[in-house]
Amino acid sequence: MIYFDNAATTRPLQLALKEYEDISATLFANPSSGHLYGISAHRKLEQVRDEMLRLLKLEKTHDLIFTSGASESNNLALKGAARQYANRGKRLITNMGEHSSVLNPLRALKEEGFEVVFLPITSDGRVDPETLRGAMDKSTTLVSVMSVNNEVGSYNDLKAIAEVVHSYPKAYLLVDATQSMGKDDIDLSMADLISFSAHKFGGTKGVGALIYRKNIKLHPEHDGGGQEHGFRSGTVNLAGNAAMAVALRDSLEHLKENREMASALKKTVADGLADVDEVVVNSPEDSSPYILNISLLHKKSSVIIEALGERGIYVSSHTACDARRSEPSSVLLAMGLSQERAENSIRISFSHDNTIQDGVEFVAALKQVIEEVKDR
């Protein structure tokens, strides 16, 4: 098997799985229980929370809420902050390159009467800080910009974007760091809210976090027992969160070597496809080493992806949340690419689990499949 869909999810690290199993077996008490066993579980939970903030060098300025993943984190950040600070202003700003877990909550808030601005993105998939500056005003309370685009791998200039946002004292910046967490050495201290999922960097599924600046309050999205500082009620997944911390620590410790492997692998694939007239690359040259997005000029990507899958090679069309739909990639359309290129794109995404040989075999298989499949 060659698995090149790591932007959708990664293989859980053995260290993370072991931590999950150990905690599940030896410290399964509810962290909210008042007995000594529950207190021990609560103490471990707080140790995990503190460790993650320390790993990200945010322990002095930010706090952390454990969630079920980036989608929940984005919903809590967007709806929670918008509703909490509606008396300050009701203007919310994002861009058309964002994940659906940002775009759809904002569309829902628009139905509630919030003013939502969807900025364009550049031809290389980024948010232009000056375009953002032109959209800001005194009623803006929240801006949402991802660190790395999940479809084409473009990096946003978070420093420049944060400077624009924070020139308006009432405005907060949410950074969806799902595709950069554990993979990029990005200073996230400039962000007021940060969302991510554990399974993107070797943790287990159904686990994630929302990091928020300590002075921020959030309107809770659901009521209950008041766990997670009152912002996210429900029994906390201690084992999953502990495994997430282990995965994050391991990813950061091996960040340089993992990036070098991903870069070499991406270059192998890109160079191998350079002489294929059927293929055009959509990712910018300075995009994440973990993501390569291409389009097919005359073939249907769905047919190619299926044919590769029959050979035990797994890639995706675009984001996993939308992969089963027939719509073209909204990100590629927002970049100004044609309907045909947006409809027939393939996202190839790598991890340190992959090898250079995987890349060589993938290129050979893709060339063969392209020869075999009829034009659309």
Side-chain angles (χ1 to χ4, degrees), residues 106-123:
L106 286 171
R107 290 179 180 123
L109 286 167
K110 187 175 182 180
E111 294 296 315
E112 293 181 20
F114 286 87
E115 179 188 8
V116 181
V117 178
F118 297 94
L119 297 177
I121 56 175
T122 63
S123 60

Side-chain angles (χ1 to χ4, degrees), residues 95 119-129 131 154-156 331-336:
N95 63 90
L119 297 177
I121 56 175
T122 63
S123 60
D124 55 3
R126 308 177 211 274
V127 176
D128 178 9
T131 300
S154 305
Y155 288 102
N156 279 308
V331 172
L332 297 184
L333 289 175
M335 288 168 59

Side-chain angles (χ1 to χ4, degrees), residues 68-90:
S68 63
S71 288
E72 182 189 348
S73 295
N74 285 332
N75 272 266
L76 178 56
L78 293 165
K79 296 176 181 177
R83 292 166 179 163
Q84 180 70 30
Y85 298 107
N87 62 324
R88 296 184 180 181
K90 304 188 75 172

Side-chain angles (χ1 to χ4, degrees), residues 301-346:
S301 64
S302 59
V303 176
I304 297 293
I305 291 169
E306 182 178 356
L308 289 171
E310 291 172 353
R311 290 164 167 79
I313 301 173
Y314 302 105
V315 294
S316 62
S317 53
H318 37 94
T319 178
C321 298
D322 300 320
R324 295 185 184 275
R325 302 174 187 170
S326 58
E327 290 89 350
S329 163
S330 60
V331 172
L332 297 184
L333 289 175
M335 288 168 59
L337 300 183
S338 68
Q339 182 89 5
E340 290 75 16
R341 276 178 67 170
E343 285 178 346
N344 294 287
S345 63
I346 295 177

